[in-house]
Amino acid sequence: MAISRLRFLLHQQLQKYTSSLRHLSYSNRSFCSASNLRSHFQRIGFIGLGNMGSRMANNLIEDGYNLTVHDVDHNAMKIFSERGILTKESPFEVADSSDVLITMLPSSNHVLDVYTGRNGLLSHGNTLGPWLFIDSSTIDPQTSRKLSATIADCSLKRKRDGFEVPAMLDAPVSGGVLAAQAGTLTFMVGGLEEAYVAAKPLFLSMGKSTIYCGGAGNGSAAKICNNLAMAVSMLGVSEALALGQKLGIAASTLTKIFNSSSARCWSSDAYNPVPGVMDGVPASRNYDGGFASKLMAKDLNLATESAKEVGLEFPLTSQAEKIFTQLCNDGHGMKDFSCVFRHYYPGNDEL
């Protein structure tokens, strides 16, 4: 029995040692790959210069990267060209002069048009210049996976260290315009892990953290799930604060209770929807800035459709989508999504 036990313990130690060697070998390969590929970040193409994209591009420029940019809004491009940043008239022209291509666009249709439309990134054959494509748009996972598979079937004009074919990462962000401005975004990344490791320097030039979510489309799936939870929690907090005020409790008092008890959440302690309760949030400036209600409605639609595709029924998600869609129909689509408090509970400001 003693000999058997000793053999068992020795076998366990050997397995641990072998596993450690494999992990070390992989880590070294990843580190070397990331270090070598750093030199291939010299020419970055950036498409989509809206509220988020323009700020993300600015952070890359300030970090010393050489950018070429494009947007359908020529005024947006003019702002960059006046600073000496190269602009191009089509996505294909950007790709033709870039090693890495980053897109930050409003919807799945916009992404498909930029990638596969006329003069799109993939419109001139399946031999591509960029070795890496990063899409930070919030779109459905199915579109992300289809584009990733299409790009993986292409070839490179010039082979890159560690990559025989181009790679794509879906890398939507959390944090909103203020975080994009400050360079404190969180990236949720799906795709080939080696590409994720190589791209980390770019992500950390635009944000403070990155989370690898697994295969293609998983970054998009994570973002949809995050925004679903954010929308539902905002509705719950708004309803509770409105009810409390109607029952005679000041919103500031109820917020203190929430934030020191089981109801505490981001919507109560960092992004409170009631005017006058918290400084520096959209509710304190008439709900201007922040995350537009129309974008929340779009993301909830993505969540609803994704749930249907996998055979799930989510009544809270469906109801939240209806509420935010109605908010947009009533003319509040450009207001921050926390304005759902004021819109559905008019007159219920801080008491």
Side-chain angles (χ1 to χ4, degrees):
M1 289 290 291
I3 293 174
S4 297
R5 176 65 177 165
L6 180 60
R7 284 176 177 169
F8 174 74
L9 291 173
L10 287 171
H11 179 67
Q12 275 192 320
Q13 291 301 316
L14 180 61
Q15 281 187 317
K16 288 180 180 178
Y17 179 72
T18 304
S19 176
S20 297
L21 284 178
R22 282 199 301 265
H23 176 72
L24 180 61
S25 175
Y26 175 77
S27 297
N28 285 338
R29 286 200 308 271
S30 297
F31 177 79
C32 290
S33 176
S35 299
N36 292 337
L37 287 169
R38 186 69 170 85
S39 64
H40 295 308
F41 293 154
Q42 296 305 310
R43 303 184 307 162
I44 297 175
F46 202 107
I47 298 175
L49 303 172
N51 288 333
M52 295 291 292
S54 61
R55 290 162 172 81
M56 292 164 67
N58 280 335
N59 285 327
L60 288 170
I61 293 167
E62 289 175 6
D63 213 19
Y65 289 103
N66 181 24
L67 260 64
T68 300
V69 302
H70 169 76
D71 195 280
V72 292
D73 183 352
H74 283 263
N75 289 328
M77 285 203 291
K78 184 179 179 182
I79 293 172
F80 281 84
S81 65
E82 288 176 346
R83 296 167 53 197
I85 306 302
L86 187 63
T87 63
K88 296 289 184 179
E89 292 299 314
S90 73
F92 175 77
E93 291 179 67
V94 177
D96 198 42
S97 59
S98 301
D99 300 311
V100 177
L101 203 297
I102 302 172
T103 48
M104 185 58 163
L105 301 161
S107 70
S108 299
N109 288 336
H110 291 96
V111 172
L112 286 171
D113 185 57
V114 163
Y115 274 83
T116 62
R118 183 183 179 188
N119 289 322
L121 301 175
L122 310 177
S123 62
H124 290 215
N126 64 350
T127 302
L128 306 178
W131 64 270
L132 179 61
F133 295 80
I134 299 173
D135 180 38
S136 288
S137 316
T138 298
I139 63 175
D140 62 282
Q142 294 76 17
T143 296
S144 294
R145 287 167 183 152
K146 288 176 183 176
L147 286 175
S148 180
T150 299
I151 287 172
D153 284 337
C154 295
S155 59
L156 286 171
K157 289 181 180 178
R158 220 164 32 100
K159 295 293 188 293
R160 308 289 177 153
D161 294 345
F163 287 88
E164 297 294 322
V165 297
M168 182 176 186
L169 297 171
D170 47 286
V173 301
S174 177
V177 174
L178 293 179
Q181 177 97 30
T184 57
L185 295 167
T186 294
F187 287 83
M188 296 157 267
V189 188
L192 188 67
E193 188 170 8
E194 288 84 351
Y196 162 72
V197 171
K200 256 193 168 183
L202 292 178
F203 293 135
L204 295 179
S205 289
M206 299 180 283
K208 65 177 181 179
S209 62
T210 66
I211 301 171
Y212 180 63
C213 302
N218 282 16
S220 296
K223 178 60 188 294
I224 290 173
C225 294
N226 180 79
N227 282 16
L228 184 165
M230 184 169 67
V232 172
S233 70
M234 180 59 75
L235 289 172
V237 167
S238 294
E239 290 188 4
L241 289 172
L243 177 61
Q245 287 183 94
K246 285 294 186 181
L247 295 175
I249 307 173
S252 57
T253 301
L254 200 53
T255 295
K256 290 178 183 177
I257 294 169
F258 287 177
N259 293 343
S260 59
S261 63
S262 56
R264 182 181 181 183
C265 64
W266 182 81
S267 296
S268 68
D269 74 354
Y271 215 77
N272 199 283
V274 181
V277 171
M278 185 177 293
D279 294 330
V281 296
S284 69
R285 51 177 186 269
N286 196 31
Y287 302 102
D288 292 325
F291 186 64
S293 295
K294 69 173 186 177
L295 295 179
M296 180 58 81
K298 180 209 76 173
D299 291 355
L300 287 167
N301 177 258
L302 292 175
T304 301
E305 293 303 312
S306 293
K308 289 178 182 176
E309 289 184 8
V310 295
L312 296 174
E313 292 186 10
F314 288 157
L316 291 180
T317 306
S318 298
Q319 185 61 26
E321 182 190 359
K322 291 178 183 177
I323 291 172
F324 281 100
T325 299
Q326 185 61 51
L327 197 64
C328 297
N329 292 340
D330 290 344
H332 304 286
M334 295 305 297
K335 292 290 187 180
D336 181 76
F337 81 108
S338 61
C339 80
V340 71
F341 174 86
R342 175 70 67 78
H343 184 64
Y344 283 94
Y345 310 104
N348 286 277
D349 292 343
E350 168 73 343
L351 295 178

